[in-house]
């Protein structure tokens, strides 16, 4: 079963506690829903939960990713902006999509390996498409000296 990484692109010094708390709740909910789905869809005995890892920027946990794993990038979307922030109210730190990609690369994001990345941000102003396009462009930006050809 693939590992699910809940990646918070803020370092411990950048106060990611609110996002870490949300990630922990998300992981419990994800496993509960998945376990229920497996029980309903298949009579065979299957593992009851995914291996879920929560990683903040600077922990270098992305280097452990294997083919087929999934990465959910967590952050608070900002209304009328393509940036994300560390806290819903009184945000101290903002990141654009290129900065997120740079942080993922610094944390060991493997190149030339097949895995999925999903952006999981609040999006009150419907900027999801714009954020996704900017993330994609940054991920394949040749100036970053990486080639991520197999990512979905």
């Amino acid at each position: 079963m693939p590992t699910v990484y809940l990646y918070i692109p803020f370092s411990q010094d950048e106060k990611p506690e609110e996002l870490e708390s949300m990630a922990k709740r998300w992981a419990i909910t994800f496993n509960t829903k998945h376990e229920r789905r497996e029980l309903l869809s298949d009579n065979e005995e299957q593992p009851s939960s995914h291996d879920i890892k929560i990683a903040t920027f600077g922990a270098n946990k992305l280097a452990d990713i294997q083919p087929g794993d999934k990465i959910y990038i967590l952050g608070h979307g900002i209304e009328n902006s393509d940036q994300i922030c560390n806290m819903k109210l009184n945000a101290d730190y903002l990141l654009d999509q290129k900065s997120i990609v740079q942080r993922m690369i610094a944390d060991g994001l493997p190149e030339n390996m097949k895995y999925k990345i999903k952006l999981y941000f609040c999006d009150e102003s419907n900027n999801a498409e714009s954020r996704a396009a900017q993330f994609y462009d940054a991920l394949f930006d040749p100036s970053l000296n990486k080639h991520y050809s197999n990512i979905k």
Side-chain angles (χ1 to χ4, degrees):
M1 188 171 298
T3 298
V4 173
Y5 288 82
L6 302 178
Y7 183 69
I8 300 167
F10 298 96
S11 70
Q12 289 299 319
D13 293 338
E14 295 169 334
K15 305 175 189 170
E17 296 85 5
E18 185 177 290
L19 291 169
E20 287 176 315
S21 176
M22 291 172 65
K24 289 174 186 172
R25 287 193 311 269
W26 193 87
I28 291 167
T29 302
F30 184 87
N31 273 331
T32 302
K33 285 181 180 177
H34 188 75
E35 181 177 329
R36 214 175 305 131
R37 192 178 317 117
E38 285 177 346
L39 292 173
L40 292 173
S41 65
D42 198 347
N43 293 330
E44 294 178 30
E45 195 168 321
Q46 296 181 20
S48 62
S49 64
H50 278 69
D51 184 16
I52 296 180
K53 296 181 180 181
I54 298 171
T56 56
F57 172 61
N60 296 319
K61 289 187 179 178
L62 297 184
D64 298 334
I65 290 175
Q66 298 299 310
D69 287 349
K70 297 177 183 175
I71 305 167
Y72 289 83
I73 304 170
L74 309 180
H76 291 293
I78 301 171
E79 192 170 347
N80 299 317
S81 172
D82 288 324
Q83 294 179 313
I84 64 165
C85 59
N86 63 326
M87 292 187 282
K88 190 169 179 109
L89 301 173
N90 302 318
D92 294 324
Y93 298 95
L94 305 175
L95 294 173
D96 62 14
Q97 304 310 306
K98 186 170 184 171
S99 297
I100 295 169
V101 169
Q102 290 170 329
R103 287 176 175 223
M104 293 178 75
I105 291 169
D107 272 339
L109 184 69
E111 57 180 306
N112 295 321
M113 184 186 296
K114 193 169 191 166
Y115 46 85
K116 292 183 181 181
I117 297 176
K118 297 194 177 204
L119 307 178
Y120 201 76
F121 309 145
C122 306
D123 186 31
E124 295 175 5
S125 53
N126 294 321
N127 286 341
E129 248 181 79
S130 174
R131 284 188 185 116
Q134 289 177 22
F135 182 85
Y136 181 87
D137 289 346
L139 191 62
F140 293 100
D141 183 344
S143 70
L144 296 176
N145 297 320
K146 295 281 183 175
H147 183 65
Y148 296 92
S149 60
N150 293 316
I151 300 170
K152 288 186 178 180

